[in-house]
Structures are given as C-alpha cells and as structure tokens.
C-alpha cells in the first residue's frame, strides 16, 4: 500500500481517471469537505488541539481511501445510511422493547448477529471457490464480505449511540471490552482483505481470510452469550480518555494486517506445495512472488500503524499513570510484537537472507507470528492481567 510522490500528485489532481471517475472523485472530495466543515462548525467550541488534528487525519485518510478505492465510497455511504436509521430510531424515543425494527435489525447486538451470518456465508463461498472452482461461490463470498463490513461498522456506530441511552455519563466509543474489540477486529480485517483482494484481482485468498475472521466471530459470540459483554457497561476512569480514539484504531489496523499477513503466509506455503505436487491451488491463488509482495505490504502497513499506536499508547499512559513505560505485561508483549515484525522487515530487505527460499522463510515467519500477535491482543488480558486488562472476561 505504499504510494509514491508522483502518485500523490496524481491523486490530488484526479489524474489518470476517466471523466465519470473523475467526477465521482470530485463529488467525494466535496462531500467529505462539507462534512468536515460541518463537524468543525458544530463542535468547534468543544474541540481542542488534538481533536482538530484527529479531524484532519480522518479527513485525509477517508479522502485517500475514497479516491484510491472507489468501492470504499459506496461502503461509507451505506454505513452512514444504516447507522442513521438505528440512531434515528433511538433518538426518536424507540427502544428494542417497543420497536421490531430495532429488536430484530437495528440494535447493535442484532446487527452483529446478522454480521456473523454474513461472515459464515462469505467463508463458505470463498472456501467453495478455492476447492471447487465455482466462480459464483467466490462472487457470493465477496458480496457477503462487503455485507460483513457494512453491518460491522454500522453496528459499532449504533452501539456508540446506545452507550448514552439511560446513562448519558456512560457514553463512550465502543472499544472498551473484549466483545467490542472482536467486532472491530472482524470488521477491520474484512475491510482490509477486500482492499487487497481488489488490488490483486484474485478471490482465492478469501478462503484463508474469511475463515480466520469466522473463528474470531465465534469467539465474539461466545463472550457475548457466556459473559454478557454485549451489554453496555460504564467504563473505568482510565478509559475515559480522548487518547482511546487515537490509540485503539491504530492498533486494530495493525492487528488486521498482521492477521491477514499470516493467512497469506499459509496460502504461500500451500501454493508452493501444490506447485510441487499438483492441485487446484496452483490456478486459484496468485503466483508466489505476488503472494510474497502482498504479505510484505501487509506487514509493513501493519508495522507502521502498530508503531504509531504504541507511541500514542505511551503518551496515554503518561497522562493516565504518570509514566510512558512501566513494563506492564501488555507493554512488554507489544514490544515483543514490534521487535518481531521489525526483524521480519529487516530480513525481507536483506539480500543475503536465503534468496533461494526466502519467500518460504518469510511465509513461515508471518504465520508463526500469529502466536505473538494473538497473545499480545487476547492472551495478556486472559492470562497475565496488569494495568491493561480492560478486556478480561
């Protein structure tokens, strides 16, 4: 996902687009500009420096994604439309107890169950495409991956509104327990998978990405049912911070890319074996060089956001606890993850790192790294505790 200076200039001038594409990009730019101005105008009295910075970053990020990836524009509008219905029903005084629409569809927990169904259908479709070659199955997997992302982000927006209902002082961004975190992980991972799928024009990798997301979703449903984490609860003082809106998104963009890199690593190893022994995977997955490049891009993009998220987390820690670093278990494992992927990127750029089987080594590295990422993300909360154990069960 790296982008050169010439490409930045190309994007800013909408170069290289057909007339209709250029018009759509210009409308997108105008839509975002008006939206950002309205946010500034309505909330400027409550904003301070960092909130203006965040608004600018969101504006730039959404602008870039929408111009570079036209499908994202449609997704953004669909998410706003779905979320607006749910939020509008709540603000009109309806609840799940007196509105069938909220009870069955537009309350966040119902929407997340529908998201779970979409993940399952998508995983089955991609899996069938990979092993049977049915293009229609891959198409259905692709469509329901989009449904997953739309329902996930719209559900999180509605859940944010739900945190204010009954107890306005409880209102918070919905990323404060394991249930919310798993929703965000599933949704963000599916979104980035669809981006990479669009860049590579190949749906075979969906049979690796969506089943992995399905496993995360099963865990999500379990913590909701068994531990009632789908119920809105007040957050502890340490989480009542502006910094959570910066730190958490960065970390989950990183986690999504690291998880996807691991699945591409598995695909690389299976493709390599299929090329030696024969099999359907030879024709339904990208070639090995492309798989290695995709895997490297995912790790690099994840590493950048993990670095930013870790720095922001240190600033937050200084505000909350008086020190940037305390060797808390979460901080220690974050450092382990950072060093692991820093070493991966260093070895990938090192020409002496086993050129004849470099791709295989990197694929194994990315796959095994799944253990360190998962333990940092979930294992620390479940088994080690510490200051960061907000998502414990």
């Amino acid at each position: 996902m790296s982008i050169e200076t010439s490409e930045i200039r190309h994007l800013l001038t909408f170069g290289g687009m057909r007339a209709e594409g250029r018009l759509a990009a210009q409308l997108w730019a105008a839509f975002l500009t008006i939206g950002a101005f309205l946010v500034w105008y309505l909330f400027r009295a409550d904003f301070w420096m960092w909130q203006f910075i965040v608004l600018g970053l969101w504006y730039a990020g959404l602008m870039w994604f929408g111009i570079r990836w036209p499908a994202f524009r449609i997704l953004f509008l669909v998410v706003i439309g779905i979320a607006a219905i749910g939020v509008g029903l709540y603000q009109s005084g309806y609840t799940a107890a007196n509105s069938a629409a909220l009870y069955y569809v537009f309350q966040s927990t119902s929407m997340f169950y529908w998201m779970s169904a979409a993940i399952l259908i998508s995983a089955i479709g991609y899996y069938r495409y990979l092993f049977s070659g049915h293009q229609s199955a891959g198409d259905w997997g692709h469509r329901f991956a989009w449904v997953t992302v739309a329902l996930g982000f719209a559900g999180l927006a509605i859940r944010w509104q739900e945190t204010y209902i009954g107890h306005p002082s409880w209102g918070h961004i919905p990323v404060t327990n394991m249930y919310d975190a798993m929703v965000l992980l599933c949704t963000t991972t599916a979104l980035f998978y669809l981006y990479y799928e669009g860049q590579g024009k190949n749906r075979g990798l969906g049979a690796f990405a969506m089943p992995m997301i399905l496993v995360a979703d099963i865990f999500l449903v379990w913590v909701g049912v068994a531990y009632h984490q789908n119920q809105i609860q007040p957050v502890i003082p340490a989480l009542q911070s502006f910094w959570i809106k910066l730190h958490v998104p960065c970390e989950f963009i990183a986690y999504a890319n690291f998880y996807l890199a691991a699945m591409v690593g598995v695909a690389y190893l299976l493709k390599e074996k299929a090329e030696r022994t024969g099999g359907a995977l030879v024709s339904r997955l990208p070639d090995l060089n492309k798989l290695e490049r995709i895997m490297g891009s995912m790790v690099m993009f994840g590493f950048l956001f993990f670095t930013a998220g870790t720095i922001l987390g240190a600033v937050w820690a200084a505000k909350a606890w008086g020190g940037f670093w305390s060797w808390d278990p979460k901080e220690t494992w974050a450092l382990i993850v950072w060093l692991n992927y820093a070493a991966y990127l260093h070895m990938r750029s090192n020409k002496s790192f086993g050129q004849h089987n470099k791709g295989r080594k990197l694929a194994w590295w990315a796959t095994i790294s799944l253990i360190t990422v998962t333990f940092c993300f979930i294992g620390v909360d479940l088994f080690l505790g510490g200051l960061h154990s907000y998502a414990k069960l």
Side-chain angles (χ1 to χ4, degrees):
M1 291 181 71
S2 61
I3 187 167
E4 303 296 335
T5 304
S6 60
E7 191 174 357
I8 294 175
R9 191 182 308 114
H10 220 47
L11 288 173
L12 291 176
T13 58
F14 307 107
M17 297 181 182
R18 294 181 178 179
E20 60 272 20
R22 188 158 52 248
L23 176 61
Q26 290 169 345
L27 290 173
W28 170 253
F31 170 76
L32 282 184
T33 301
I34 293 170
F37 175 78
L38 288 175
V39 171
W40 169 82
Y41 182 78
L42 294 172
F43 301 103
R44 66 188 187 282
D46 301 319
F47 274 23
W48 53 295
M49 180 188 70
W50 278 103
Q51 288 167 316
F52 285 115
I53 291 174
V54 171
L55 178 62
L57 291 174
W58 273 108
Y59 175 77
L62 291 173
M63 182 73 74
W64 181 83
F65 246 111
I67 293 174
R68 186 174 175 83
W69 188 21
F72 180 78
R73 305 172 205 159
I74 301 173
L75 170 69
F76 188 82
L77 296 175
V78 169
V79 169
I80 289 177
I82 296 173
I85 296 173
V87 172
L89 287 170
Y90 278 121
Q91 292 188 342
S92 298
Y94 292 100
T95 67
N98 59 24
S99 170
L102 278 173
Y103 184 82
Y104 290 107
V105 181
F106 290 103
Q107 67 170 328
S108 63
T109 50
S110 297
M111 194 160 289
F112 296 149
Y113 282 128
W114 288 113
M115 181 192 75
S116 299
I119 292 171
L120 176 61
I121 296 171
S122 178
I124 292 172
Y126 277 124
Y127 194 80
R128 189 178 179 204
Y129 165 75
L130 184 67
F131 289 100
S132 69
H134 290 291
Q135 184 62 43
S136 61
D139 292 342
W140 279 106
H142 175 80
R143 293 185 189 110
F144 276 92
W146 278 111
V147 173
T148 294
V149 177
L151 294 180
F153 280 123
L156 285 169
I158 293 169
R159 190 168 178 82
W160 198 341
Q161 169 66 29
E162 290 171 347
T163 65
Y164 288 90
I165 296 174
H167 301 277
S169 62
W170 289 9
H172 59 272
I173 185 172
V175 291
T176 56
N177 64 13
M178 186 65 75
Y179 181 84
D180 296 342
M182 296 309 297
V183 172
L184 185 58
L185 178 69
C186 291
T187 307
T188 307
T189 306
L191 175 66
F192 276 94
Y193 165 71
L194 286 167
Y195 174 81
Y196 290 114
E197 181 187 91
Q199 296 298 300
K201 309 298 182 185
N202 184 289
R203 292 183 177 167
L205 290 175
F208 298 87
M210 294 309 294
M212 177 200 66
I213 295 171
L214 179 61
V215 172
D217 183 68
I218 291 171
F219 184 71
L220 154 71
V221 173
W222 177 66
V223 298
V225 173
Y227 292 91
H228 308 293
Q229 290 204 3
N230 55 348
Q231 298 177 2
I232 303 294
Q233 298 291 335
V235 296
I236 63 175
L239 294 180
Q240 296 172 1
S241 169
F242 166 78
W243 293 97
I244 194 173
K245 300 180 181 73
L246 293 174
H247 170 68
V248 172
C250 286
E251 296 293 347
F252 276 86
I253 290 172
Y255 287 146
N257 280 272
F258 290 156
Y259 276 112
L260 288 171
M263 293 301 100
V264 175
V266 173
Y268 183 101
L269 296 170
L270 292 178
K271 167 92 173 186
E272 188 181 51
K273 180 179 179 181
E275 288 186 346
R276 294 195 306 267
T277 62
L281 296 185
V282 174
S283 61
R284 293 182 196 132
L285 287 173
D287 64 70
L288 292 177
N289 288 332
K290 181 176 284 189
L291 284 172
E292 195 280 322
R293 289 197 301 272
I294 292 171
M295 183 170 56
S297 296
M298 290 171 171
V299 171
M300 183 176 295
F301 195 70
F303 181 77
L304 289 173
F305 273 87
F306 194 80
T307 301
T310 302
I311 293 171
L312 291 167
V315 175
W316 184 8
K319 296 284 186 180
W321 302 314
F324 290 98
W325 197 267
S326 60
W327 294 104
D328 178 75
K330 194 78 162 185
E331 294 171 350
T332 303
W333 274 91
L335 178 60
I336 292 171
V337 170
W338 189 90
L339 291 172
N340 173 67
Y341 284 108
Y344 174 100
L345 292 172
H346 173 71
M347 291 303 179
R348 184 171 183 262
S349 64
N350 190 339
K351 294 183 178 180
S352 64
F353 183 62
Q355 285 297 318
H356 66 287
N357 59 0
K358 183 176 182 178
R360 185 193 309 167
K361 291 179 180 178
L362 292 173
W364 274 112
W365 195 329
T367 303
I368 295 173
S369 295
L370 194 64
I371 299 172
T372 60
V373 174
T374 302
F375 195 82
C376 178
F377 173 39
I378 299 175
V380 170
D381 294 322
L382 297 182
F383 304 114
L384 297 184
L387 293 172
H388 287 79
S389 295
Y390 309 126
K392 62 185 177 182
L393 301 180

